[in-house]
Amino acid sequence: MNKKRWLALLIAVVLFVVSIGFQVATSIASANFEQIFTFPENKFPEELIEKGTNGKIVVLHLDGVIQDTAPSTLLNTTSYNHKQFLKMLDVAARDSSVDGIILRINTPGGGVVESAEVHDKIVDIQQEYKKPIYVSMGNTAASGGYYISAPADKIVAHPATLTGSIGVIMEGYNLSELTDKLGIEVNTIKSGEHKDIMSTFREMTDEERQILQTMIDDMYGDFVQVIVEGRGLSEEKVRELGDGRVYTGSQAKENGLVDELGSLDDTIDLMKNDLKLKNAQVVKYNSPLGFEKFFGMSMQSFIGKDEELINMLDIIRESNAPRAMYLYSN
């Protein structure tokens, strides 16, 4: 590692500590101080996509893995922010000037809980505010990405979109042979037989595998039911399609998983026609450029696009504990 990268890493660590201190400080600061550096919680900066005078359509972008590990350091300014996305949905729903919401989804999926939270929020908006929600699929809208798309009033995919991957996955490592070869002894004190289930340092038992398989099957059943209710397909059909494989947008349309083929612009036009708002204004919600994000962008400019360094810091932040995921990975 050259001097520049060592310097960048050192500054990153310092900023990580500063970031934690800043988050603590802002949590106890006055409301007026927060308003100086952040956008009001009940509003997001709007970027004009199309001018119009008859109604309003909001586009919300969901990019990246759906997980509640939203930016926790000054370096992380671009990853999916779970709490913020849910807030964006809330704001669009409560804004009386908004006639419809389009979700532009580009994600391989993510956590089971986080995907369910977004799905439930969409359903709540449809039921409480009676606002139509359309989905425009980008390059990938698989697994959890399809889970949250299922209740949408209409789903539009590009013919080459990768979607589907209906299923649940849980993975872990077994390094017991490696630790044996290296002479590493792992001492585990536990309160119950299965407290260290999926331990990295021992082989899984048949009983433990069955326990976890039962959990996965239960979560998969929930996934199937979400599609049955959202798409009006039979459970038999959904289980037939839901063997974990991905589909192109064209294949998904043939199988009833999406309604139309097209781009984001096509989705906007479709909503305008359906709502009879041909001259509607179209806006996109952007993330607020607060104090932390401002310095995060500055730090990234200093370091440059060193994805290896950024990914290394992300890995340090993430927990290594295995978890069930609605996730497509290749």
Side-chain angles (χ1 to χ4, degrees), residues 136-156:
S136 169
M137 293 181 168
N139 290 323
T140 306
S143 206
Y146 190 78
Y147 186 101
I148 65 178
S149 301
D153 295 279
K154 285 189 178 177
I155 302 175
V156 180

Side-chain angles (χ1 to χ4, degrees), residues 198-209:
M198 282 198 80
S199 169
T200 305
F201 303 108
R202 67 173 178 81
E203 187 174 351
M204 185 185 300
T205 67
D206 292 339
E207 183 181 5
E208 289 171 335
R209 188 175 296 277

Side-chain angles (χ1 to χ4, degrees), residues 143-201:
S143 206
Y146 190 78
Y147 186 101
I148 65 178
S149 301
D153 295 279
K154 285 189 178 177
I155 302 175
V156 180
H158 188 278
T161 293
L162 290 182
T163 188
S165 188
I166 299 166
V168 194
I169 189 169
M170 178 184 287
E171 294 180 319
Y173 298 101
N174 176 13
L175 303 180
S176 58
E177 291 188 14
L178 177 61
T179 54
D180 287 344
K181 288 180 179 179
L182 296 176
I184 299 173
E185 182 178 349
V186 179
N187 296 314
T188 302
I189 311 300
K190 54 186 180 179
S191 59
E193 181 182 357
H194 303 300
K195 183 61 179 174
D196 63 339
I197 194 169
M198 282 198 80
S199 169
T200 305
F201 303 108

Side-chain angles (χ1 to χ4, degrees), residues 17 24 60 64 107 165 183 202 221 247 262 290:
V17 176
V24 173
L60 305 181
T107 174
S165 188
R202 67 173 178 81
Y247 299 93

Side-chain angles (χ1 to χ4, degrees), residues 113-329:
V113 173
E114 293 93 328
S115 299
E117 287 177 344
V118 176
H119 168 276
D120 294 346
K121 179 67 70 175
I122 291 170
V123 173
D124 289 344
I125 291 172
Q126 292 170 319
Q127 294 178 348
E128 183 175 354
Y129 296 95
K130 311 300 180 184
K131 292 188 178 182
I133 297 179
Y134 287 14
V135 162
S136 169
M137 293 181 168
N139 290 323
T140 306
S143 206
Y146 190 78
Y147 186 101
I148 65 178
S149 301
D153 295 279
K154 285 189 178 177
I155 302 175
V156 180
H158 188 278
T161 293
L162 290 182
T163 188
S165 188
I166 299 166
V168 194
I169 189 169
M170 178 184 287
E171 294 180 319
Y173 298 101
N174 176 13
L175 303 180
S176 58
E177 291 188 14
L178 177 61
T179 54
D180 287 344
K181 288 180 179 179
L182 296 176
I184 299 173
E185 182 178 349
V186 179
N187 296 314
T188 302
I189 311 300
K190 54 186 180 179
S191 59
E193 181 182 357
H194 303 300
K195 183 61 179 174
D196 63 339
I197 194 169
M198 282 198 80
S199 169
T200 305
F201 303 108
R202 67 173 178 81
E203 187 174 351
M204 185 185 300
T205 67
D206 292 339
E207 183 181 5
E208 289 171 335
R209 188 175 296 277
Q210 184 57 46
I211 290 172
L212 295 174
Q213 186 64 57
T214 300
M215 291 170 51
I216 295 299
D217 291 344
D218 184 57
M219 295 174 188
Y220 174 68
D222 176 67
F223 201 155
V224 169
Q225 193 59 36
V226 160
I227 300 174
V228 169
E229 296 174 358
R231 299 299 301 168
L233 299 173
S234 68
E235 180 175 341
E236 181 182 6
K237 179 65 174 178
V238 175
R239 288 185 179 273
E240 177 187 336
L241 295 171
D243 60 1
R245 77 181 71 181
V246 291
Y247 299 93
T248 65
S250 298
Q251 292 172 330
K253 186 176 185 300
E254 291 175 2
N255 287 300
L257 295 175
V258 307
D259 298 295
E260 303 288 345
L261 297 178
S263 63
L264 173 59
D265 289 339
D266 294 326
T267 309
I268 292 172
D269 290 340
L270 180 63
M271 177 170 276
K272 284 183 176 181
N273 291 332
D274 289 348
L275 300 183
K276 295 179 171 55
L277 297 173
K278 291 189 177 181
N279 193 33
Q281 180 189 55
V282 183
V283 301
K284 169 191 171 186
Y285 282 179
N286 287 322
S287 300
L289 187 61
F291 179 83
E292 180 173 312
K293 184 159 186 173
F294 172 78
F295 276 95
M297 292 172 64
S298 299
M299 181 57 197
Q300 285 191 343
S301 296
F302 175 79
I303 295 175
K305 297 181 179 179
D306 194 335
E307 294 184 3
E308 181 182 345
L309 176 60
I310 301 297
N311 290 337
M312 180 175 64
L313 292 170
D314 284 342
I315 291 171
I316 292 173
R317 291 203 323 271
E318 297 290 337
S319 168
N320 290 323
R323 56 185 299 209
M325 304 284 283
Y326 294 142
L327 184 67
Y328 163 65
S329 58

